Amino acid sequence: MKLETNAILLLVVVAVFMFLGSYFTMVVPLMDARLNAPSKDARPYTELEMKGRHVYQKEGCVYCHTQQVRNLLEETQRYGMGEEETFKRFGIRALIQAPPSQPGEFAYDQPHFLGTRRVGPDLARVGGKYDNTWHINHLRDPRSTSPGSLMPAYSWLFDKASQPTPDAIALVAYIQKLGTNYKWREEGVEQARKLQGISAALPFKEGKQ
Ligand code: HEC
């Protein structure tokens, strides 16, 4: 009752709670040194990748694509590598999940493009998933690589002869860098090789324990 009738007191109490709320949800996490430390494989962007990052920002890719793999099985599986991909690229059949995004991977991102809306798939682990030609074709005409795709064609990133402009080339360099601040493909394949080596060496008979 006292609070509801005394405006000054109410203001003071609201201000105190707002301060506490912001302090514990913003200031305390920001003091965590791990947030600013680059992850072990992180390296700054090259000039070309940085230029591509500006193109990504300018073209508004972030409106349809997030850059964060969350700690959910649906996401780590979906954005990981399937058997076909590991076989084609590393000569081994394995299912490798994409690790959830870690703060240290974003140490060189300013502003960050974590995003909030997924009209298209998440791009945090897309680097290395396709080759450069795939990306060029996809940007020129998304339907040519992904039938039924909703993504707009970025025709202004191509000249009259349908050749990629420097902006398109920079953009692809940037896309290929995404997710490589953690060498998860290489580490995952190495681990799978070890596991398969162990299971091949075990005397295992089907149907018997
Ligand atoms: C209107 C929403 C929209 C916008 C804007 C958009 N995309 Fe997409 N994007 C999609 C959809 C939907 C897909 C899934 C189908 C496909 O592969 O085309 C996709 C797929 C992709 C993929 C393949 C992802 C994968 O794992 O297969 C890449 C790479 C990509 N987009 C990059 C970009 C870039 C770079 C831009 C900005 C120049 C951009 N997108 C803008 C909707 C969008």
Side-chain angles (χ1 to χ4, degrees):
M1 270 309 273
K2 214 175 188 182
L3 257 186
E4 283 176 10
T5 48
N6 188 335
I8 307 267
L9 189 61
L10 183 65
L11 271 180
V12 171
V13 172
V14 167
V16 167
F17 276 95
M18 278 177 65
F19 171 77
L20 288 177
S22 348
Y23 184 77
F24 285 106
T25 55
M26 288 161 65
V27 181
V28 172
L30 281 177
M31 288 189 306
D32 188 340
R34 283 173 305 176
L35 268 186
N36 294 316
S39 59
K40 97 176 145 45
D41 300 322
R43 67 159 174 81
Y45 293 101
T46 62
E47 207 173 310
L48 183 68
E49 288 160 357
M50 205 56 189
K51 184 175 167 194
R53 200 167 193 273
H54 290 308
V55 179
Y56 187 94
Q57 182 172 24
K58 189 175 71 177
E59 298 297 349
C61 313
V62 71
Y63 297 125
C64 286
H65 291 287
T66 53
Q67 286 187 15
Q68 45 176 327
V69 175
R70 293 175 294 178
N71 201 358
L72 299 169
L73 191 61
E74 301 94 281
E75 300 201 1
T76 55
Q77 277 184 348
R78 173 167 182 190
Y79 301 118
M81 277 192 292
E83 288 191 0
E84 218 171 287
E85 193 182 343
T86 55
F87 187 69
K88 208 165 72 188
R89 297 188 40 206
F90 299 97
I92 175 175
R93 289 196 185 278
L95 293 171
I96 292 166
Q97 291 186 35
S101 298
Q102 303 292 325
E105 295 178 62
F106 302 96
Y108 299 111
D109 287 8
Q110 201 171 18
H112 69 72
F113 297 138
L114 298 177
T116 51
R117 197 154 174 254
R118 281 182 182 159
V119 177
D122 185 86
L123 297 182
R125 300 274 177 227
V126 84
K129 179 174 173 184
Y130 307 105
D131 56 25
N132 293 345
T133 317
W134 188 95
H135 284 295
I136 292 292
N137 290 335
H138 183 243
L139 286 170
R140 187 193 288 126
D141 175 14
R143 262 66 61 195
S144 70
T145 52
S146 321
S149 174
L150 295 177
M151 187 166 137
Y154 285 85
S155 52
W156 53 93
L157 296 180
F158 294 85
D159 62 18
K160 287 204 182 78
S162 227
Q163 291 305 304
T165 58
D167 273 5
I169 290 168
L171 180 59
V172 171
Y174 169 67
I175 299 173
Q176 295 290 33
K177 166 81 162 68
L178 290 176
T180 58
N181 279 342
Y182 182 169
K183 302 271 174 247
W184 65 279
R185 289 178 199 274
E186 294 77 357
E187 277 181 22
V189 164
E190 201 181 307
Q191 223 171 9
R193 279 211 180 98
K194 264 190 214 150
L195 284 174
Q196 293 189 0
I198 293 170
S199 67
L202 285 177
F204 175 75
K205 286 204 186 88
E206 223 168 300
K208 281 188 187 162
Q209 284 289 312

